[in-house]
Every structure is written in C-alpha cells, then in structure tokens.
Amino acid sequence: MTEDQTLPYWAQRIQELTERSGLAQAELARRSGLTRDAFNRYHSGRTRPPDKLLALADLFAVHPNDIDPDAVTLRKRSDARSAEPYRVGKASNGNPDFVHLQLNVDLHISAMSQILEIVNEEIRRAEV
C-alpha cells in the first residue's frame, strides 16, 4: 500500500487496538490463534479478516462491529457446530409478505437489543 492510499477502516481499527494493547504483533497473533504473517496482513490492510474477525474481536475485547461494521456478526453456538446459525421459513400466518425467522446464535448484547427492537416494532405493526 502506498503512502497516498488510505487504509480501510478495519485496518485502522486493528492498528489502533494493537497500539492500545501495548503488545507486540507476534504476541497478539499468538493470543488470537493467528500466524504472525496473517495478523500483519490484517494490520497493514492487505487482507480483510472476515474469517478471523471474531478471534480479533475477542482478542481486543470489542464487538466485531467495532473493528469492521460491514461484517456479519452472527456467531454459531459452539455447542451446536452443525446447526445453522439461522433459518428462514414460511410465516405461520400464511402471508407471503412475512417470514418465520429462527436464530441459533450467540450475539453480542447490543446486536440482540437491535434485533429485539425490530421484532417488537414488527409485532406492534402487525397488531394495528
């Protein structure tokens, strides 16, 4: 990356969090289960870390959206590895404009709150 190119937001955040941690990249890589080379690619903005975003978020004790707001933040339950994180089916009311959504994921509490706000708004709208 040349000097005149701006780093992607997620790379800037990884750099900020790395600096704030006070630890070397090699140590952060070890703690997150990444190779030093992989960590360096994310840190320098050469590679986006979608597959390792949760590991990085856990490492820095932040929500994945704090690193990469555009990334999907659903986390499969560790005790249900083969289960789908979500399932979408036909709505029980038979209306084709509705769907039935079933979640089987661990979510950050802020994501859960946003989902509940949406669900409650949908319930209020359906009752009118």
Side-chain angles (χ1 to χ4, degrees):
M1 194 154 291
T2 62
E3 288 182 35
D4 60 331
Q5 290 179 314
T6 304
L7 284 175
Y9 177 80
W10 48 267
Q12 292 174 26
R13 287 295 294 147
I14 291 170
Q15 288 181 5
E16 290 169 9
L17 293 165
T18 298
E19 186 175 323
R20 191 179 306 158
S21 75
L23 298 172
Q25 286 186 33
E27 178 60 18
L28 291 169
R30 185 190 69 74
R31 290 183 182 194
S32 63
L34 300 169
T35 65
R36 186 167 187 253
D37 183 55
F39 187 89
N40 183 268
R41 285 194 313 271
Y42 304 143
H43 186 272
S44 64
R46 291 187 311 237
T47 304
R48 192 173 195 158
D51 296 340
K52 300 300 181 184
L53 183 58
L54 291 173
L56 292 168
D58 287 345
L59 170 70
F60 294 119
V62 298
H63 188 273
N65 286 348
D66 293 335
I67 297 173
D68 190 351
D70 297 328
V72 175
T73 59
L74 295 179
R75 172 182 263 174
K76 287 186 181 182
R77 291 174 50 130
S78 60
D79 61 346
R81 294 185 201 283
S82 63
E84 297 175 20
Y86 61 90
R87 184 175 300 165
V88 178
K90 292 182 180 180
S92 58
N93 65 7
N95 186 331
D97 293 330
F98 288 79
V99 297
H100 178 81
L101 174 64
Q102 180 180 352
L103 295 175
N104 185 29
V105 294
D106 293 336
L107 298 171
H108 188 273
I109 195 164
S110 65
M112 185 253 344
S113 295
Q114 292 172 350
I115 290 169
L116 289 178
E117 287 177 28
I118 293 168
V119 168
N120 286 327
E121 179 60 32
E122 287 296 317
I123 291 169
R124 283 191 291 276
R125 216 178 301 179
E127 291 174 346
V128 174

